[in-house]
Amino acid sequence: MSSPEDAGPASTGGSSRAANVIVVNSVMFKFISYWRTAAVVLCDLASTAYYIGGIVEQSIGAAAPWFILAVMIFSYAVRNVYIESCSMFVRGGVYRAVKAGMGGLLAKLSVSALMFDYILTGPISGVSAGQYIMGLGIDSFEYAERYLLNHPAFTVLKTTRETLTNYGAVFIACAATLYFFWENIKGIHESSDKAIKIMKATTIMAVVIMTWCAVTLAVQGVATYKLKDQHGNVVLQDGKEVIVRNKLPVLPDLRPHLNTTTGKEESPLGFLEGKPIDKELSQLSDPSTPKSDWLSWIGVFGIIVAFGHSILAMSGEETLAQVFREVEAPKMKNFKKAAFVVFVYSIVLTVGISFLAVLLIPEDQRMPIYRDNLIGGLAMNMVGPMWARLILQAFVVFIGFLILSGAVNTAIIGSNGVLNRVAEDGVMPDWFLKPHRKYGTSYRILILVVAFQLVTIIASGGDTLVLGEAYAFGVVWSFVFNSLAMVVLRFRDTSTREYKVPLNFRIGKIEIPVGLILVFVILLLAAITNLLTKETATIWGLGFTAGFLTIFIASEKAHLRRLKGVHHDHQEQFNQETASEISRAKLGLKKKYTKLVAIRSPQNLFMLEKALAESDPTTTEIVVMTAKIEPGVVTERPQGDLDKYDAKLMTAVVQRAEKSGKEVVPLIVPTNNPLFAVINTAKALDVQELVIGVSNKNTADEQLDQVAFYWFNVNADQPKPLTVRIVSRDREVHLDLAGGNRIPKISERQARSVAELRAAGVGVSRVLSVHTGSAASHDLFQTVLTMLDPKVELDLLIVPEPHLAPGEVQHAVEVDRQRALQLGREMSVVTLTDDIGPEIVKRARDGHYNLIVLAKHERLSEGDDESTAPWIDFVIDHAHCTVFPASPPAIPMEVDEGDAIEPKAGP
């Protein structure tokens, strides 16, 4: 590849001075911790703890907590599918996976279904949050009425409560949506900061509720209630009120049964209500009656329907994939942590609240009063004085407002990510990707999303029932499409993945992803049953999905017509600032170390990839610069969009930064002397390391000489320490100027053992030993065998020494191989006869060996004892890794006087 110094040396006078440095800005160079990632998703998932128990119990009764538990456990399997998907696509999610696996049409279909739910998620959460606050305010006034002598204002309040609540909820929902719209305009750091603050408050509430519930169960046990008749009168028995204990949450028989009072067939799920009674169904209560096999299938179908009704508890999974690109390094490790935090939190909070609600809220209150706010119902049924419970209720309602508002934020983040993927693929015009002038975010997509949500909020009139009935259509179908795409990709793309969903079996060369297939089948069954049993969601979902799909198809065709047959090639859009000079303060460089990486070509970014892989983001800043050649004196240039080449180069930088999860600061330096511009930038930013690529014109020695010349020149012969590194795909050379100033690698700082250091890619993990069959090679092999850690891989390359018979070489090698096996070390053994030097270098590179060990003196022929074989020199000069040419101990030339034999004296 070319390097910045390919223009050759030039004068360091004024004509070479770089001016108007372009600082490229983009929010995509910013990354967030796994705690923030988890918080963004949990604002949606945790909000379901308030209402999911009520929704599911309405459908399947008191067994709801068990099905919610099953869904939350299953959600981790779905999360694993998303983890594997993100290991393949940094900008992941359902659109990217489905397009890669099954094509663009199904990808647009899956996104169309998903967008319907994203458009509804924000309004549902916002309106619910508004109703919580309005309800709390109105209830507070009603409690205060007792002490304000029945003021006339409260009479009006009573008559207009529902209207006031709904309109107030609409206003609050619109305000929350606009607030989080602005936070997302400012970037993921701002919106995720609000999310993590909300989750901290929610965690405090969860700890208080769980602890208080435990005390309540210990003191008064399971809740009781007074039995009432159909008219609401308390039932008396022997003149006493009948007190009934709550039913414990047990799994019901989900098969249809005969109601002996009405003579009609009924189902716990209601999906067979009103159907003609089957003779066999009327015999279910008699254990002695043989049951038909198909009855068991009715029970299975009932379980699937119940599971489908509970799957709403998994909302938010797609958002986890949409924020993967913003996760900081180590990216996949932190993503897995975020997924695990979400799993544990949802199990404890959502499932815990569902079980506690069935245990502690009286059955005659749970559904009629608290179905939309089970946590509030728990607060009012705790042990303790009423004033304490009222304070807890107010706290719960306020936290509910916060977390439901946070779900609005999650919906905006998720829908923004999805539409960004669609726009990047050319389905939507590039106009939507234009970054905000100050913050660099895709504000036009955010405006589109929020406009849809505001219209939905206003149209709902504050009635969440209308929104709730249509919700959760696209979520489950996006899960289905994503899991199916990953199954297909297991067979179409067999490349190595950083993570795979467990349960994989091999039949010959074919890997069967059993785990993925099981997840897909369960999701498909749940989606189909939802389609058949949720009429409102199905009708509205299919209608809106068809509408979005039509828009996407028409938009893509219009975009292709504008391209006039040219293939769509996505390029990032950036903001830029110009400065006549740069400094650490202007670039905001505050960390201890700074590394400058000079790049030229988007196809050859080995030096950037290496710099990103080894840098510790907590201690090291990475500045990426390209020297843009502009002949003549560089004068001021107007600020505008980057040209196509610069945009393509910066797009490649974004992709590397996103993949690693580490921030970079990109610069474009116009100059007529690239090398001088690089050195001058290194001086201005006080960098410790300069990383450049291999030149197409000069050798590495010549490059290093030029860099040293310029460095001493710009520093007036008093240079600061600098380490210069020239990096290619498979090797690196360096030069320490003024003593050098090497930056500690992340693997060196974090490692606590030799094994950890080796696992991080530092040091030696694979050794290639060259064996000629000679005694010197035998001695060297014995040394290496006993010196190496057993965890270091050792392999043999046989290069027969010319004067030895083939049998002698084979015998010597076999003796050494058996010795290695005796010590428990497996080795591969390969014999080379032709083109020895190049073949050793090639095998070392292809096998990713870190060290080549060979005997330094090998004879060309039997008479040339001190000669060195030419292939040894070739390996030393061309190997990509370290070469250890070992010499056997020499025969001593001096006389050891202590051991000398004294001649006897004569007679």
Side-chain angles (χ1 to χ4, degrees):
M1 62 164 283
S2 60
S3 68
E5 62 272 15
D6 283 349
S11 169
T12 59
S15 63
S16 300
R17 183 171 52 85
N20 291 323
V21 175
I22 303 172
V23 183
V24 180
N25 294 323
S26 172
V27 74
M28 286 164 287
F29 291 123
K30 304 294 183 182
F31 302 95
I32 58 176
S33 67
Y34 71 88
W35 284 111
R36 288 174 176 246
T37 304
V40 168
V41 179
L42 280 171
C43 278
D44 187 5
L45 275 176
S47 67
T48 61
Y50 277 82
Y51 55 79
I52 187 63
I55 291 176
V56 179
E57 186 169 344
Q58 279 185 296
S59 301
I60 64 176
W66 291 107
F67 285 97
I68 294 173
L69 174 62
V71 166
M72 298 318 299
I73 293 174
F74 178 67
S75 72
Y76 200 71
V78 177
R79 213 157 289 146
N80 283 337
V81 176
Y82 277 99
I83 292 174
E84 179 174 340
S85 170
C86 291
S87 71
M88 299 179 67
F89 311 101
V90 174
R91 299 190 181 187
V94 64
Y95 179 80
R96 190 68 65 203
V98 174
K99 184 178 182 185
M102 299 183 293
L105 180 61
L106 285 178
K108 289 189 281 288
L109 177 63
S110 61
V111 168
S112 299
L114 181 63
M115 281 305 300
F116 171 60
D117 280 326
Y118 268 138
I119 296 302
L120 288 181
T121 299
I124 290 173
S125 302
V127 171
S128 298
Q131 288 183 336
Y132 273 35
I133 290 298
M134 292 302 298
L136 178 63
I138 293 174
D139 287 344
S140 300
F141 277 120
E142 289 182 348
Y143 282 119
E145 180 186 5
R146 301 174 186 176
Y147 305 99
L148 294 177
L149 303 177
N150 201 21
H151 192 280
F154 294 108
T155 305
V156 177
L157 184 64
K158 289 179 181 178
T159 59
T160 60
R161 176 185 177 107
E162 183 176 353
T163 302
L164 185 62
T165 299
N166 287 343
Y167 280 105
V170 167
F171 175 79
I172 292 173
C174 290
T177 302
L178 291 172
Y179 172 76
F180 282 109
F181 162 71
W182 180 242
E183 292 301 304
N184 278 276
I185 287 290
K186 291 189 285 186
I188 191 68
H189 268 78
E190 293 294 327
S191 58
S192 64
D193 178 66
K194 301 303 180 292
I196 202 166
K197 288 178 180 177
I198 290 172
M199 290 314 304
K200 287 178 181 178
T202 304
T203 302
I204 295 172
M205 181 271 293
V207 171
V208 172
I209 285 287
M210 296 289 186
T211 304
W212 208 330
C213 284
V215 173
T216 301
L217 280 172
V219 172
Q220 67 183 30
V222 177
T224 59
Y225 60 98
K226 297 175 182 179
L227 184 64
K228 297 180 181 179
D229 60 22
Q230 58 184 351
H231 302 293
N233 300 316
V234 176
V235 176
L236 300 178
Q237 187 175 3
D238 297 331
K240 296 181 180 180
E241 297 175 339
V242 179
I243 306 298
V244 183
R245 294 176 65 85
N246 274 15
K247 296 178 182 178
L248 296 177
V250 296
L251 291 171
D253 184 354
L254 293 175
R255 294 174 297 185
H257 62 274
L258 177 67
N259 187 323
T260 56
T261 302
T262 63
K264 295 181 179 180
E265 177 185 318
E266 295 179 352
S267 166
L269 300 179
F271 62 85
L272 291 177
E273 296 290 347
K275 302 282 182 71
I277 300 174
D278 189 284
K279 183 185 295 185
E280 293 178 288
L281 290 176
S282 65
Q283 301 172 347
L284 287 176
S285 59
D286 184 359
S288 64
T289 304
K291 299 176 177 61
S292 300
D293 290 340
W294 70 271
L295 293 179
S296 62
W297 285 105
I298 293 178
V300 172
F301 182 61
I303 293 173
I304 295 172
V305 173
F307 187 84
H309 280 275
S310 310
I311 211 165
L312 177 62
M314 287 169 53
S315 64
E317 297 291 338
E318 174 66 22
T319 305
L320 187 65
Q322 294 303 328
V323 296
F324 176 65
R325 72 169 185 172
E326 281 89 8
V327 179
E328 69 181 9
K331 203 173 194 70
M332 184 52 67
K333 184 177 180 180
N334 280 336
F335 190 62
K336 291 178 183 178
K337 287 182 180 179
F340 186 72
V341 169
V342 171
F343 170 70
V344 172
Y345 206 103
S346 57
I347 285 285
V348 173
L349 183 61
T350 306
V351 177
I353 293 300
S354 299
F355 273 98
L356 290 170
V358 173
L359 295 174
L360 292 178
I361 303 176
E363 289 185 10
D364 62 338
Q365 300 178 28
R366 192 166 61 245
M367 287 299 100
I369 301 175
Y370 298 114
R371 65 183 181 185
D372 295 328
N373 183 6
L374 290 181
I375 300 180
L378 284 172
M380 295 306 296
N381 285 278
M382 299 288 194
V383 65
M386 177 58 72
W387 63 265
R389 285 181 279 167
L390 288 174
I391 292 175
L392 180 59
Q393 168 78 325
F395 178 54
V396 164
V397 169
F398 178 70
I399 296 299
F401 164 73
L402 289 181
I403 197 169
L404 286 164
S405 299
V408 174
N409 181 43
T410 302
I412 294 174
I413 291 174
S415 52
N416 180 44
V418 169
L419 291 182
N420 265 276
R421 301 295 87 74
V422 174
E424 289 164 2
D425 208 43
V427 176
M428 294 172 61
D430 290 339
W431 180 85
F432 282 103
L433 295 175
K434 184 70 176 178
H436 190 276
R437 173 56 63 185
K438 181 177 181 181
Y439 300 111
T441 50
S442 51
Y443 70 101
R444 290 171 176 171
I445 287 181
L446 289 171
I447 291 173
L448 178 66
V449 169
V450 170
F452 273 120
Q453 292 182 338
L454 290 175
V455 169
T456 305
I457 291 170
I458 295 170
S460 72
D463 186 357
T464 56
L465 182 61
V466 175
L467 298 174
E469 287 180 348
Y471 182 66
F473 170 84
V475 168
V476 64
W477 282 104
S478 71
F479 292 162
V480 170
F481 281 121
N482 190 68
S483 57
L484 176 59
M486 294 309 299
V487 171
V488 173
L489 284 171
R490 280 291 190 92
F491 296 99
R492 291 185 58 180
D493 182 357
T494 57
S495 60
T496 303
R497 289 160 171 72
E498 196 171 351
Y499 179 83
K500 284 185 177 181
V501 176
L503 294 180
N504 302 292
F505 301 95
R506 284 196 171 275
I507 301 178
K509 295 183 179 181
I510 300 176
E511 182 182 68
I512 308 300
V514 176
L516 265 174
I517 293 173
L518 287 175
V519 172
F520 163 68
V521 170
I522 293 172
L523 287 171
L524 180 62
L525 291 174
I528 292 174
T529 54
N530 273 11
L531 195 69
L532 298 176
T533 59
K534 290 188 174 183
E535 183 179 358
T536 302
T538 298
I539 294 172
W540 285 94
L542 290 175
F544 272 81
T545 299
F548 275 115
L549 181 60
T550 301
I551 293 172
F552 285 145
I553 291 175
S555 175
E556 184 178 36
K557 287 185 177 179
H559 180 67
L560 291 175
R561 281 197 300 269
R562 287 193 297 270
L563 291 178
K564 297 179 180 179
V566 178
H567 176 71
H568 174 77
D569 184 18
H570 169 68
Q571 291 188 0
E572 298 292 337
Q573 298 191 38
F574 302 94
N575 289 330
Q576 62 184 66
E577 298 177 5
T578 58
S580 58
E581 59 182 19
I582 56 174
S583 64
R584 295 183 61 83
K586 286 184 178 180
L587 297 183
L589 306 180
K590 300 178 181 178
K591 296 175 184 176
K592 183 177 181 180
Y593 304 109
T594 304
K595 182 177 298 187
L596 178 63
V597 183
I599 62 173
R600 282 286 299 277
S601 169
Q603 286 77 34
N604 298 320
L605 293 175
F606 312 124
M607 71 293 295
L608 177 58
E609 292 169 359
K610 188 174 183 65
L612 286 167
E614 68 188 18
S615 295
D616 186 344
T618 62
T619 62
T620 306
E621 306 271 13
I622 300 179
V623 179
V624 182
M625 72 157 290
T626 180
K628 186 176 180 63
I629 301 177
E630 294 189 356
V633 178
V634 180
T635 58
E636 287 197 17
R637 45 186 279 161
Q639 183 171 338
D641 293 336
L642 303 178
D643 63 33
K644 290 184 178 180
Y645 186 83
D646 290 340
K648 187 175 182 180
L649 184 59
M650 291 299 107
T651 297
V653 172
V654 166
Q655 292 170 350
R656 268 60 173 196
E658 284 182 352
K659 187 174 182 179
S660 67
K662 297 177 182 178
E663 297 181 12
V664 299
V665 180
L667 304 175
I668 299 176
V669 183
T671 181
N672 60 2
N673 187 339
L675 182 56
F676 176 77
V678 170
I679 298 302
N680 209 39
T681 303
K683 178 179 181 295
L685 299 180
D686 194 22
V687 305
Q688 284 76 38
E689 284 188 1
L690 170 61
V691 184
I692 58 179
V694 177
S695 172
N696 288 333
K697 300 179 180 179
N698 303 314
T699 65
D701 282 343
E702 291 172 337
Q703 286 181 266
L704 293 174
D705 286 342
Q706 291 177 14
V707 171
F709 170 76
Y710 277 110
W711 183 247
F712 282 91
N713 187 286
V714 300
N715 284 281
D717 295 326
Q718 294 181 345
K720 293 181 180 180
L722 176 71
T723 294
V724 182
R725 300 166 57 191
I726 301 179
V727 178
S728 67
R729 184 186 297 272
D730 52 21
R731 67 184 304 173
E732 173 184 331
V733 295
H734 68 270
L735 175 65
D736 292 325
L737 299 176
N741 202 353
R742 300 193 187 190
I743 299 175
K745 300 177 181 178
I746 187 171
S747 52
E748 296 170 334
R749 188 181 69 83
Q750 295 181 345
R752 295 295 179 267
S753 67
V754 173
E756 290 182 2
L757 198 62
R758 188 183 296 121
V762 178
V764 175
S765 58
R766 302 198 72 194
V767 176
L768 187 62
S769 180
V770 180
H771 199 306
T772 64
S774 66
S777 288
H778 168 77
D779 293 340
L780 177 59
F781 178 78
Q782 297 289 339
T783 301
V784 172
L785 186 64
T786 54
M787 179 177 64
L788 289 181
D789 187 307
K791 295 181 180 178
V792 175
E793 295 184 38
L794 176 63
D795 293 322
L796 276 181
L797 271 183
I798 311 304
V799 181
E801 191 165 317
H803 75 283
L804 295 177
E808 294 180 83
V809 174
Q810 184 177 356
H811 174 72
V813 172
E814 183 60 24
V815 168
D816 287 339
R817 193 179 72 84
Q818 290 299 326
R819 176 60 57 83
L821 290 175
Q822 180 182 342
L823 298 177
R825 188 187 288 275
E826 295 284 345
M827 298 186 307
S828 68
V829 180
V830 178
T831 301
L832 303 180
T833 55
D834 298 321
D835 206 14
I836 296 173
E839 188 63 23
I840 292 176
V841 171
K842 181 179 184 300
R843 288 182 178 272
R845 180 186 295 110
D846 295 344
H848 303 288
Y849 291 93
N850 314 112
L851 179 66
I852 301 174
V853 180
L854 49 82
K856 182 178 181 181
H857 296 292
E858 295 292 353
R859 294 178 293 180
L860 288 173
S861 63
E862 190 167 356
D864 298 327
D865 292 340
E866 299 302 323
S867 299
T868 300
W871 61 263
I872 295 179
D873 293 329
F874 184 91
V875 171
I876 293 173
D877 292 339
H878 295 87
H880 78 287
C881 59
T882 303
V883 180
F884 278 0
S887 298
I891 299 175
M893 301 301 295
E894 69 279 3
V895 176
D896 189 335
E897 296 181 357
D899 292 338
I901 300 176
E902 295 291 338
K904 293 183 178 180

